[in-house]
Amino acid sequence: MDSGCAFRSLDDFSEVIASKDTNVRLEVYNQLESFLKQSHSNLHCTDLNSFCNSIMAWVSSSNFKISINGLTIIQLLIQHMHEKLQNYCIDIIVHIVDRLADSKEQVRAASKNILLFMMTTYTPTYIWDRLNVGFNHKIAKVKEEILELLIESFDKFGANCMHLGKMVTFVVKLLTDHNQFVRDKALLCLIEVYKTVGDRLRNELKKKQLPEEKVKLIFGKFDDVLKHGKMKEANNCLPMPKPGRFSKATFFFLLF
């Protein structure tokens, strides 16, 4: 790649970002990141679908640096082109969810953080309605991380911004997952969510026709939370932008 070439718009990046060469990807990343951070940059892109597919290939890379670079670029694109990228949310989410099983903790953390960023940009319910794939993923680690993300979502946005009943249905299903770590994480998830929403969660669980012994176990954990004063202060739902609306005040930076 000619490092001296001038990039006047996103179109000028289209060919080079499609390269499979690791060195080319690493080099163009610095220029693309800088370009997207400039407020006066020309974001015209003739084929946004192809552009996003190329960056998604970065996200799916086995090279963790390229994967994180891809996640960073996606976040910058959403920051500046949120309305146009709304149509690509499902594809973006599917690729990011797969990275939750990455062997590198940095990639898993970056993946969860960009999903939280997308919830801030569009609304939590809009993103969670498209995150169902995570609860049914074939890889156990993905399901563990999705449960952890759910805990963080309730902590960050509050119960009124989340579809509690729908979320509980998915978590309850994972209580009988074949993987012990997933089952344990599902129980922990219920306990942590209870700390935020209180007895609303008990009421939802009563609707799920769980075995009596399982209900006693879960409710016993809830009682322990109350006994030891571990309830969290209610986090009221903050005004959220409608899907396709974005405020710079809500920008959620990736933590690497």
Side-chain angles (χ1 to χ4, degrees), residues 63-155:
N63 183 309
F64 84 96
K65 291 183 179 179
I66 293 176
S67 183
I68 289 180
N69 288 349
L71 291 167
T72 304
I73 295 302
I74 287 295
Q75 176 169 330
L76 288 169
L77 288 171
I78 292 174
Q79 179 192 359
H80 296 297
M81 306 172 70
H82 46 279
E83 291 185 357
K84 291 183 178 179
L85 285 190
Q86 187 173 340
N87 293 332
Y88 300 93
C89 273
I90 293 179
D91 287 340
I92 291 172
I93 288 171
V94 168
H95 281 83
I96 294 175
V97 164
D98 285 341
R99 306 317 298 161
L100 294 175
D102 197 275
S103 60
K104 293 284 187 179
E105 194 277 334
Q106 302 101 306
V107 176
R108 299 196 301 273
S111 298
K112 284 188 291 186
N113 281 332
I114 194 173
L115 289 170
L116 287 169
F117 168 74
M118 292 176 72
M119 292 177 205
T120 304
T121 303
Y122 297 108
T123 71
T125 53
Y126 183 82
I127 298 303
W128 273 108
D129 283 348
R130 289 152 180 80
L131 266 173
N132 296 349
V133 61
F135 292 105
N136 300 311
H137 206 279
K138 62 182 179 180
I139 300 177
K141 186 62 178 176
V142 170
K143 289 183 278 191
E144 288 184 64
E145 295 293 337
I146 281 290
L147 289 165
E148 186 63 38
L149 178 65
L150 185 59
I151 295 171
E152 294 181 35
S153 298
F154 272 101
D155 284 345

Side-chain angles (χ1 to χ4, degrees), residues 190-205:
L190 290 176
I191 295 169
E192 292 301 316
V193 171
Y194 178 78
K195 293 177 183 179
T196 301
V197 307
D199 284 341
R200 286 177 58 187
L201 182 53
R202 288 186 196 257
N203 295 334
E204 288 295 335
L205 288 171

Side-chain angles (χ1 to χ4, degrees), residues 123-125 154 156-162 234-240:
T123 71
T125 53
F154 272 101
K156 181 175 177 64
F157 302 110
N160 292 331
C161 280
M162 306 285 289
N235 184 5
N236 294 324
C237 185
L238 298 175
M240 302 295 294

